[in-house]
């Protein structure tokens, strides 16, 4: 173990000398208070250390001790339902040690050492196992069964395996390998900066269904895909992430509050335990890991929180689960990188951010994916990452937004103008995009309906045309439009208000199945297509716009899933009848 002394302290950066034996990215304990830090630069025997706790009061000459191991997380039973800080210290255990005011240098185990878990073996003595194979299971919560896997780098024969109740440190199996016997516990450690290995990555051909219409129909994200949600203050980034955490087709949710305001994290901590998981009826916390790193916590810990979160997510992905990771927000992580870079006196890039900002973001997002995990079973797991970006003043031309957009395939551009009109989700349909659409065309057409993609395209075109017509209306007024164009405006309004607008607090409208989304598309387009045809045959424009059935189409979103087919038939019949009745009525 190498020890040195502090030479200089500059905010979260501490420079220590006499650290010749230490390595890059080793975890160190700084000063007699034993603050946690990580070596981020070495020059001769001088180490630059980013400290993950408040450094006020430290001075030159105090000791620095390297642990000679990289920053790692503990993976095993007890992760689910936990609330950690950025460096995987459980907040409930810290509170027992230090009370409500966090003390510096608190050392607590990430996984509870005294809790016993029921271990059920799935292999027997004499079985051949390799890295990634499941040797047993633990029912961690009512919803999640954790699979205990052979750690990376171990291959051999099961010599001994036990069932019963054990803590995470007790030996549950012994494997005979070429290097001798290896004892396995239910806990593994993994360095956070290194992605967990897998056999191969699969192409993104299947959507992560979220139940949010603007996402699933217009800008879908693939299972194992990456999406960015940039938007100014107050445009609903956090609400969208909560909706996705609640409703997305994911078995496990990892939610990272990276430099978020304390009150936003408090909302998450209060809401998630009370929210009912729609799939199981249990609390949403039963399949969630929370990492709370608020804006008043030390800046450097933001980087650790991002890596800690994604490593935990990869661990569940390797078990064959679909995992959704919410990072809220990567901009605040980038601000931490900028501060550390400035203190290291590196040459600044654009707007003072470090020149390696893009590559750091890419390394993080690159760890998402739909993969075949290690092990003989060939389990498939998916890790989808949704990162919120908070550009100052909502200006997405700034470096963090631009670097993110170069990496991610889905851009849900939030619009404060829509948010102020109470249009939720405030995703702007003219600026957002999804590059996964073409890959998933076959899935939607085969699994939902053969004309899903065609209908989606028709709706997108109507919204595009509405934007162009609005410019004309602003200049010369609505009366200058031809009846055909007026009808387009009405149809686009119907798409906006009846289809894209979704009430996240309404028990039915908060989630829409793909089948229901398809029938809603059909109704909105049927109004436009039938009315257009009737208009060409001489029907009255006013009568078409004023049809009572339009109200029924608008309210269709509140129909229960059990009744969608019968209600759809009724509205369609009513639409045919009312369009037929629009002939012969005089314009008024």
């Amino acid at each position: 173990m190498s020890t040195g002394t502090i030479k200089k302290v500059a905010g979260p950066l501490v420079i220590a000398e006499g650290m010749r034996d230490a390595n890059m990215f080793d975890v160190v304990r700084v000063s007699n208070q034993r603050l946690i830090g990580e070596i981020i630069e070495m020059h001769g025997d001088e180490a630059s250390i980013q400290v993950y706790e408040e450094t006020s009061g430290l001075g030159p000459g105090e000791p620095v001790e390297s642990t000679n191991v990289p920053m790692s997380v503990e993976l095993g039973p007890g992760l689910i339902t936990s609330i950690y800080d950025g460096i995987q210290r459980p907040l409930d255990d810290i509170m027992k040690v230090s009370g409500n005011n966090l003390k510096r240098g608190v050392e607590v185990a990430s996984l509870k050492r005294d809790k016993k878990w029921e271990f059920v073996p799935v292999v027997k003595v004499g079985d051949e196992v390799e890295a990634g194979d499941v040797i047993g299971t633990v029912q961690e919560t009512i919803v999640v069964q954790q699979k205990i896997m052979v750690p990376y780098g171990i291959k051999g024969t099961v010599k001994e395996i036990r069932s019963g109740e054990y803590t995470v440190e007790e030996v549950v199996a012994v494997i005979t390998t070429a290097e001798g016997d290896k004892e396995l516990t239910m806990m593994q450690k993994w360095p956070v900066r290194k992605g967990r290995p897998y056999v191969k990555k699969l192409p993104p051909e299947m959507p992560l269904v979220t139940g949010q219409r603007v996402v699933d129909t217009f800008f879908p994200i693939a299972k194992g895909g990456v999406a960015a949600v940039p938007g100014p203050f107050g445009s609903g980034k956090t609400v969208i992430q909560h909706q996705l955490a609640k409703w997305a087709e994911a078995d496990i949710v990892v939610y990272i509050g990276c430099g978020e305001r304390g009150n936003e994290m408090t909302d998450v901590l209060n809401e998630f335990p009370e929210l009912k998981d729609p799939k199981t009826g249990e609390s949403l916390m039963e399949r969630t890991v929370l990492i709370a790193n608020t804006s008043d916590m030390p800046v450097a810990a933001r980087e650790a929180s991002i890596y800690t979160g994604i490593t935990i997510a990869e661990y569940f992905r390797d078990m064959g689960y679909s995992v959704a990771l919410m990072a809220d927000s990567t901009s605040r992580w980038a601000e931490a990188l900028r501060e550390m870079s400035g203190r290291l006196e590196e040459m600044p890039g654009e707007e003072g951010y470090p020149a390696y900002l893009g590559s750091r973001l890419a390394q993080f997002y690159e760890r998402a994916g739909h993969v075949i995990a290690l092990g003989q079973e060939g389990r498939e797991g998916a890790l989808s990452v949704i990162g919120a970006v908070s550009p100052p003043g909502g200006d997405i031309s700034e470096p963090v937004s631009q670097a993110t957009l170069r990496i991610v395939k889905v851009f849900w551009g939030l619009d404060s103008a829509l948010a102020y009109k109470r249009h939720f989700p405030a995703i702007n349909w003219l600026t957002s995009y999804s590059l996964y659409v073409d890959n998933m065309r076959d899935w939607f057409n085969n699994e939902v309906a053969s004309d899903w993609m065609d209908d989606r395209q028709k709706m997108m075109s109507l919204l595009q045309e509405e934007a162009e017509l609005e410019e004309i209306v602003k200049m010369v007024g609505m009366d200058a439009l031809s009846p055909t164009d007026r009808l387009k405006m009405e149809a686009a309004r119907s798409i906006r208000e009846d289809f894209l607008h979704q009430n996240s607090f309404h028990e039915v409208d908060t989630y829409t199945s793909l089948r229901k989304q398809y029938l809603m598309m059909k109704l909105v387009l049927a109004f436009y297509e039938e009315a257009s045809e009737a208009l060409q045959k001489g029907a009255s424009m006013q009568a078409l716009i004023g049809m009572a059935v339009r109200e029924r189409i608008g309210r269709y979103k509140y129909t229960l899933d059990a009744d969608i087919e019968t209600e759809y038939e009724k509205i369609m019949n009513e639409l045919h009848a009312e369009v037929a009745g629009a002939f012969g009525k005089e314009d008024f």
Side-chain angles (χ1 to χ4, degrees):
M1 196 173 282
S2 54
T3 52
T5 51
I6 294 178
K7 179 182 177 186
K8 171 184 163 188
V9 180
L13 177 70
V14 167
I15 293 177
E17 52 191 1
M19 303 287 288
R20 189 172 296 282
D21 298 335
N23 300 312
M24 276 285 281
F25 299 124
D26 276 1
V27 173
V28 292
R29 293 287 181 173
V30 178
S31 87
N32 298 319
Q33 297 186 37
R34 295 185 62 75
L35 308 186
I36 297 177
E38 184 182 22
I39 296 175
I40 53 172
E41 214 173 72
M42 294 287 295
H43 291 292
D45 72 337
E46 280 191 7
S48 301
I49 300 161
Q50 73 178 356
V51 181
Y52 292 134
E53 298 182 77
E54 183 56 54
T55 56
S56 56
L58 297 190
E62 292 192 57
V64 174
E65 184 184 296
S66 169
T67 60
N68 291 341
V69 289
M71 182 87 177
S72 301
V73 287
E74 294 183 351
L75 303 168
L79 286 171
I80 301 283
T81 74
S82 294
I83 301 165
Y84 292 114
D85 72 353
I87 43 183
Q88 214 206 0
R89 295 183 303 180
L91 294 181
D92 54 343
D93 288 355
I94 293 180
M95 195 172 120
K96 285 173 197 161
V97 177
S98 69
N100 279 344
N101 293 327
L102 283 177
K103 290 193 179 77
R104 296 191 292 179
V106 175
E107 292 185 51
V108 288
S110 301
L111 296 177
K112 293 180 173 42
R113 297 293 192 256
D114 51 356
K115 184 164 181 180
K116 286 191 179 290
W117 299 92
E118 180 72 35
F119 176 76
V120 182
V122 295
V123 293
K124 54 189 189 302
V125 173
D127 284 355
E128 294 283 326
V129 292
E130 58 181 62
D133 281 349
V134 176
I135 56 165
T137 60
V138 170
Q139 196 64 40
E140 190 171 1
T141 66
I142 301 173
V143 183
V144 177
Q145 184 187 59
Q146 188 160 140
K147 297 169 186 173
I148 307 302
M149 298 173 287
V150 177
Y152 187 59
I154 292 182
K155 183 179 183 179
T157 313
V158 179
K159 179 182 179 184
E160 200 181 311
I161 188 148
R162 305 163 189 169
S163 66
E165 294 200 340
Y166 299 98
T167 64
V168 290
E169 287 185 305
E170 289 176 326
V171 176
V172 292
V174 179
I175 309 290
T176 304
T177 70
E179 290 86 48
D181 286 0
K182 301 271 187 198
E183 295 184 330
L184 302 190
T185 64
M186 288 192 270
M187 180 178 78
Q188 306 184 10
K189 287 196 170 180
W190 191 265
V192 295
R193 290 178 181 272
K194 186 177 168 195
R196 283 177 65 86
Y198 48 81
V199 177
K200 74 181 237 195
K201 230 176 208 179
L202 301 169
E205 289 170 348
M206 190 178 166
L208 179 73
V209 178
T210 65
Q212 310 305 302
R213 293 188 288 270
V214 66
V215 171
D216 291 344
T217 305
F218 279 12
F219 312 113
I221 173 175
K223 258 195 182 162
V226 284
V229 193
F233 173 76
S235 58
K237 291 186 293 294
T238 306
V239 187
I240 282 180
Q241 292 210 317
H242 287 196
Q243 276 294 90
L244 297 178
K246 244 188 286 187
W247 294 105
E249 267 188 4
D251 304 308
I252 311 283
V253 174
V254 179
Y255 192 99
I256 308 170
C258 172
E260 275 306 285
R261 296 170 197 80
N263 58 341
E264 289 194 4
M265 262 337 279
T266 310
D267 280 351
V268 174
L269 300 184
N270 287 337
E271 271 178 31
F272 274 35
E274 287 176 17
L275 285 172
K276 279 272 183 287
D277 181 354
K279 296 178 196 68
T280 60
E282 301 296 329
S283 160
L284 193 61
M285 274 308 282
E286 299 288 317
R287 59 183 182 97
T288 304
V289 183
L290 288 178
I291 294 172
N293 176 252
T294 54
S295 49
D296 61 342
M297 290 181 175
V299 162
R302 293 179 188 176
E303 184 173 18
S305 68
I306 288 279
Y307 288 121
T308 299
I310 200 151
T311 309
I312 292 172
E314 285 178 330
Y315 175 61
F316 285 107
R317 174 207 71 190
D318 290 348
M319 291 180 204
Y321 288 123
S322 168
V323 187
L325 179 127
M326 315 288 162
D328 190 10
S329 95
T330 51
S331 295
R332 305 214 166 83
W333 166 38
E335 282 162 15
L337 287 179
R338 176 164 64 182
E339 177 161 343
M340 290 309 298
S341 172
R343 292 189 186 279
L344 287 165
E345 297 171 9
E346 294 171 340
M347 181 67 79
E350 203 180 339
E351 287 186 30
Y353 287 102
Y356 48 76
L357 171 70
S359 63
R360 284 284 170 90
L361 283 168
Q363 278 167 11
F364 167 67
Y365 282 112
E366 191 60 33
R367 287 168 74 170
H370 185 179
V371 305
I372 292 177
L374 293 178
Q376 300 169 49
E377 258 184 84
R379 292 183 302 277
E380 277 188 31
L383 167 52
S384 315
V385 175
I386 294 146
V389 184
S390 322
D395 170 24
I396 63 160
S397 64
E398 55 88 46
V400 182
S401 303
Q402 288 303 310
T404 306
L405 290 184
R406 280 198 289 276
I407 302 156
V408 302
K409 296 280 186 72
V410 178
F411 167 66
W412 296 323
L414 294 175
D415 190 333
S416 52
L418 283 173
Y420 296 146
K421 287 178 190 166
R422 297 287 179 270
H423 180 105
F424 177 84
I427 293 174
N428 186 320
W429 47 87
L430 297 173
T431 55
S432 305
Y433 59 81
S434 166
L435 302 180
Y436 293 120
V437 171
D438 290 342
N439 292 25
M440 297 193 288
R441 175 183 297 276
D442 292 344
W443 190 93
F444 278 114
N445 286 343
N446 296 336
E447 300 291 325
V448 192
S450 55
D451 54 351
W452 171 281
M453 279 297 169
D454 297 340
D455 286 354
R456 172 189 175 274
Q457 192 51 53
K458 284 177 193 168
M459 285 173 69
M460 295 284 278
S461 305
L462 275 171
L463 289 170
Q464 294 277 340
E465 286 174 35
E466 181 202 32
E468 291 161 18
L469 291 171
E470 272 191 330
E471 296 298 318
I472 299 168
V473 171
K474 278 179 194 161
M475 289 192 298
V476 291
M478 186 66 91
D479 297 340
L481 294 183
S482 68
T484 318
D485 286 344
R486 286 278 303 278
L487 193 60
K488 270 184 192 158
M489 295 283 281
E490 284 296 322
R493 186 166 71 92
S494 186
I495 295 170
R496 281 189 288 110
E497 294 177 6
D498 303 337
F499 187 83
L500 294 179
H501 183 277
Q502 194 163 355
N503 183 349
S504 60
F505 296 108
H506 190 284
E507 57 199 355
V508 176
D509 196 32
T510 183
Y511 175 87
T512 312
S513 64
L514 290 181
R515 176 69 186 160
K516 186 172 168 187
Q517 291 186 40
Y518 172 68
L519 295 177
M520 285 176 74
M521 271 203 282
K522 278 293 190 212
L523 285 174
V524 173
L525 288 170
F527 158 71
Y528 173 63
E529 284 161 2
E530 296 203 9
S532 296
E533 204 175 307
L535 196 62
Q536 284 167 358
K537 290 178 180 166
S540 149
M541 175 69 191
Q542 293 302 125
L544 290 169
I545 290 177
M547 289 191 297
V549 73
R550 293 191 66 201
E551 176 69 18
R552 291 280 302 275
I553 294 173
R555 301 201 67 74
Y556 181 72
K557 58 170 111 173
Y558 303 121
T559 309
L560 292 169
D561 258 24
D563 309 326
I564 54 175
E565 303 289 346
T566 50
E567 185 65 14
Y568 172 76
E569 291 300 329
K570 279 185 200 164
I571 296 175
M572 272 303 205
N573 293 335
E574 210 170 303
L575 178 65
H576 300 327
E578 290 202 20
V579 169
F583 288 97
K585 288 192 181 177
E586 292 301 317
D587 278 350
F588 49 86

